[in-house]
Amino acid sequence: AISALHIVGIIERRPGDGNYISPDLVIDDLSLQVTNILEESDSPFEILQARKVVETGSIRLAIKEAKEDDINRITSIWDEKYHIGLAGDYRAYTKLGKKLHLSIAQATKNNIIISIIDRLLNITEQPLWQNMRRLYYENDHSRIDQMLDIHDRIVRAIKQRNSHEALLALEADFDSVIEQLYNFNSKGE
């Protein structure tokens, strides 16, 4: 809970001194913000585990079932996400993540899989998630390069209909995000 409050700017961490309410915070909004954050914040680790399990199966089926227009849609979304990431617009970059992952799910042609992935992706649109990811990139601009490379590998593997490479890249994506969470919480970024 403390990490969630830090990520959205309600508290600030002072190494060796403790946690303090942010001086920029409007007190009238504090109670509402804290309640909303804590109610909306499912365990990031559990959500990532669930996404990893579901999306690794989904990508296999997507590669098998995808039509050329599905692959073109995935590629088009990736191109947009790639250029936004290079430009340093981390807020837009993280928001396009849902669109890219959902387009892969849609290529499965399975409404149940699409619905499950959509629900899991909706959870990651919460302010806590978006701010955590944005801060992670803003604190070290070189971090975006790793994510651009991983997602490029995912999309290339889909275009080549190479399930093995797609799985390796997708697992690297989830492992990287899980590592981001651990680093964020342990270093107090």
Side-chain angles (χ1 to χ4, degrees):
I2 295 293
S3 293
L5 297 174
H6 169 69
I7 291 168
V8 296
I10 291 175
I11 66 165
E12 61 181 40
R13 291 181 178 162
R14 296 180 190 161
D17 198 24
N19 297 311
Y20 296 89
I21 292 177
S22 173
D24 300 328
L25 187 65
V26 177
I27 299 301
D28 293 341
D29 297 335
L30 178 61
S31 172
L32 181 60
Q33 282 183 301
V34 170
T35 301
N36 287 341
I37 289 164
L38 296 177
E39 284 178 353
E40 292 179 359
S41 300
D42 295 306
S43 166
F45 299 107
E46 288 182 10
I47 294 163
L48 287 171
Q49 287 174 331
R51 281 190 58 201
K52 186 175 181 179
V53 168
V54 174
E55 290 190 47
T56 52
S58 171
I59 204 164
R60 280 191 200 114
L61 186 58
I63 287 171
K64 181 180 174 187
E65 297 295 327
K67 306 294 183 221
E68 199 60 36
D69 62 318
D70 296 312
I71 293 173
N72 290 338
R73 184 177 57 253
I74 292 166
T75 302
S76 174
I77 294 167
W78 166 238
D79 288 344
E80 181 182 3
K81 183 176 170 77
Y82 180 81
H83 292 294
I84 287 172
L86 283 179
D89 186 348
Y90 305 125
R91 185 178 309 272
Y93 176 82
T94 57
K95 286 188 177 195
L96 272 174
K98 176 183 178 178
K99 193 173 180 182
L100 179 64
H101 286 264
L102 190 57
S103 70
I104 295 168
Q106 290 166 340
T108 67
K109 312 292 190 225
N110 184 307
N111 290 326
I112 295 171
I113 291 172
I114 295 166
S115 178
I116 291 169
I117 291 175
D118 187 45
R119 167 70 176 114
L120 290 169
L121 291 169
N122 283 339
I123 294 169
T124 63
E125 286 188 321
Q126 296 170 6
L128 171 66
W129 280 80
Q130 294 297 317
N131 288 332
M132 185 268 311
R133 297 297 303 276
R134 180 184 50 77
L135 288 171
Y136 182 81
Y137 295 129
E138 286 177 355
N139 288 337
D140 182 351
H141 299 289
S142 68
R143 292 172 173 163
I144 196 72
D145 294 334
Q146 176 189 14
M147 294 309 288
L148 291 172
D149 178 62
I150 289 171
H151 284 87
D152 192 57
R153 288 174 36 215
I154 292 169
V155 174
R156 271 195 327 243
I158 291 169
K159 288 166 62 173
Q160 297 166 356
R161 297 189 183 269
N162 185 332
S163 293
H164 178 72
E165 289 302 318
L167 285 172
L168 290 176
L170 186 61
E171 288 179 349
D173 180 24
F174 284 111
D175 292 344
S176 175
V177 175
I178 289 169
E179 181 181 332
Q180 289 173 21
L181 287 172
Y182 279 120
N183 288 339
F184 197 90
N185 285 328
S186 66
K187 293 180 183 173
E189 289 191 30

